[in-house]
Amino acid sequence: MMEPWRRLPALSLKQLQYFVTLAQLRHFTDTASRLAISQPALSSALRQIEIVLGGKLVNRTASSVSLTELGVAILPHAQRVLSVAQRAFEDMQQIVDAGGDGTLRIGLVPSVSSLLFPSVPEKLAQAFPRVKLEFHDHTNDSLVAEIRDGGIDFGIGALDSAVPAELQTFPLREDAFIALIHCDDPLADSAHLPWKQLVSRDIAVFSRGNVPRLVSALVESQRLTLRLRYQVDYIETLYGLVRSRLAVAILPQLYTTHLCDPQLKVVQLQQPALARTVALMRSPQPLAPQPEACFQLLLSILRGQ
């Protein structure tokens, strides 16, 4: 039986790099100069890619370069191959240079940091002392893209319709949505708050990620008329709006795990209840033995909490 790698097309990483660089600069002379090669060598590499893929990638005139429809479609895949290859070479070089076992890149949305810190990094370091741990903050959409493109090894985020089916997901817990209210607000006396009681209030939510999508979907399904007046990027801005009595904030409860502010009151939202599923996510591509062992330990720790 033929080994799988023998069936790979006859393309090199350098040829893909030439195409990606040309797509970025849109100029043959500038691209050849950036890559320190001759223009004939660049043209030859591009022809080889087009022959292997079976289609024209670039339209070239005397004054400009543009991508064909096929070139536009191929570009993100070429970028992903180069990104994964670069990460792999960096890890291999680290093993050679430092005798280590490489770097483990873990992505997370900020709200789940309470699940990881402070104990999880210590447990991973004890089990794998030669692994360098990196933690990368992302919005949920950015996290999914980084996992898919190989920028991180795996991540912790929230499941929704924007998470592609090809990613492997491992649910950890349900994270209920709450209302964050000023302590002097009449609604702060409630243990549970129906969504309908927020209809006349100014609401603050995050502007990005799956939180506004989930809130908007519930509002639409329940035919509510909420005034989503403030859409912000940072948690402190959200807190500030509530402290100033300008808004009621709607957000997942994990964001408030370490909230210690007597001015702010957390109230459970009901009728209906809304929650997001927090999950560990990874690419379907197999991990090397060491990252795989780290992943399994992390999954065990997080599910045991």
Side-chain angles (χ1 to χ4, degrees):
M1 181 177 179
M2 183 181 294
E3 297 91 335
W5 65 267
R6 293 187 181 275
R7 297 196 296 270
L8 291 174
L11 290 179
S12 70
L13 292 175
K14 277 192 173 183
Q15 289 170 331
L16 291 178
Q17 183 185 29
Y18 295 171
F19 167 62
V20 169
T21 306
L22 179 62
Q24 293 169 343
L25 299 182
R26 303 296 175 98
H27 195 281
F28 265 81
T29 301
D30 291 347
T31 300
S33 177
R34 172 77 62 85
L35 297 169
I37 61 173
S38 66
Q39 289 193 49
L42 175 60
S43 299
S44 176
L46 184 62
R47 283 196 299 272
Q48 176 67 16
I49 298 174
E50 291 176 335
I51 290 171
V52 171
L53 294 178
K56 188 175 178 62
L57 302 181
V58 169
N59 291 317
R60 181 183 183 183
T61 67
S63 59
S64 67
V65 172
S66 63
L67 297 183
T68 64
E69 185 176 344
L70 178 61
V72 171
I74 291 298
L75 179 59
H77 298 283
Q79 291 171 322
R80 184 166 67 250
V81 170
L82 291 177
S83 175
V84 172
Q86 182 62 38
R87 297 285 188 180
F89 282 127
E90 289 173 358
D91 288 347
M92 289 188 288
Q93 190 64 56
Q94 184 175 21
I95 292 172
V96 173
D97 293 342
D101 291 322
T103 299
L104 187 67
R105 304 171 185 87
I106 302 174
L108 66 153
V109 295
S111 59
V112 305
S113 61
S114 60
L115 301 179
L116 283 172
F117 307 114
S119 61
V120 171
E122 182 179 0
K123 292 177 181 177
L124 289 175
Q126 289 173 347
F128 304 97
R130 299 174 67 190
V131 172
K132 177 184 175 183
L133 296 176
E134 291 183 358
F135 294 93
H136 300 264
D137 275 345
H138 292 282
T139 64
N140 208 67
D141 293 342
S142 173
L143 177 77
V144 168
E146 285 293 302
I147 295 172
R148 185 188 59 226
D149 296 341
I152 56 178
D153 295 295
F154 39 82
I156 306 171
L159 300 182
D160 71 0
S161 58
V163 177
E166 64 265 23
L167 289 192
Q168 295 179 349
T169 58
F170 303 80
L172 301 174
R173 62 183 293 172
E174 294 298 299
D175 185 17
F177 277 65
I178 56 92
L180 193 65
I181 303 173
H182 193 280
C183 62
D184 293 338
D185 193 301
L187 296 178
D189 294 332
S190 307
H192 302 93
L193 187 64
W195 286 80
K196 288 183 178 179
Q197 291 193 29
L198 297 177
V199 167
S200 63
R201 305 298 296 270
D202 289 334
I203 304 298
V205 295
F206 290 116
S207 61
R208 297 182 295 170
N210 65 350
V211 171
R213 285 199 296 268
L214 291 171
V215 172
S216 296
L218 181 137
V219 168
E220 182 177 352
S221 67
Q222 298 297 310
R223 298 182 178 178
L224 298 174
T225 307
L226 288 190
R227 294 204 300 259
L228 301 180
R229 182 170 181 181
Y230 301 101
Q231 297 193 30
V232 304
D233 289 336
Y234 300 105
I235 187 68
E236 279 304 324
T237 307
L238 208 66
Y239 290 164
L241 289 168
V242 180
R243 290 189 189 103
S244 302
R245 299 180 177 86
L246 292 174
V248 172
I250 296 176
L251 66 164
Q253 190 163 12
L254 274 177
Y255 277 99
T256 65
T257 300
H258 299 300
L259 178 62
C260 299
D261 188 330
Q263 291 185 295
L264 304 181
K265 176 75 180 297
V266 173
V267 180
Q268 296 292 326
L269 284 168
Q270 290 192 345
Q271 300 178 23
L274 176 65
R276 61 176 187 170
T277 301
V278 175
L280 194 57
M281 309 178 196
R282 59 183 284 181
S283 165
Q285 301 301 321
L287 295 170
Q290 192 78 285
E292 179 65 38
C294 290
F295 175 86
Q296 294 300 332
L297 177 58
L298 179 61
L299 178 61
S300 175
I301 294 171
L302 294 175
R303 282 186 167 175
Q305 289 180 346

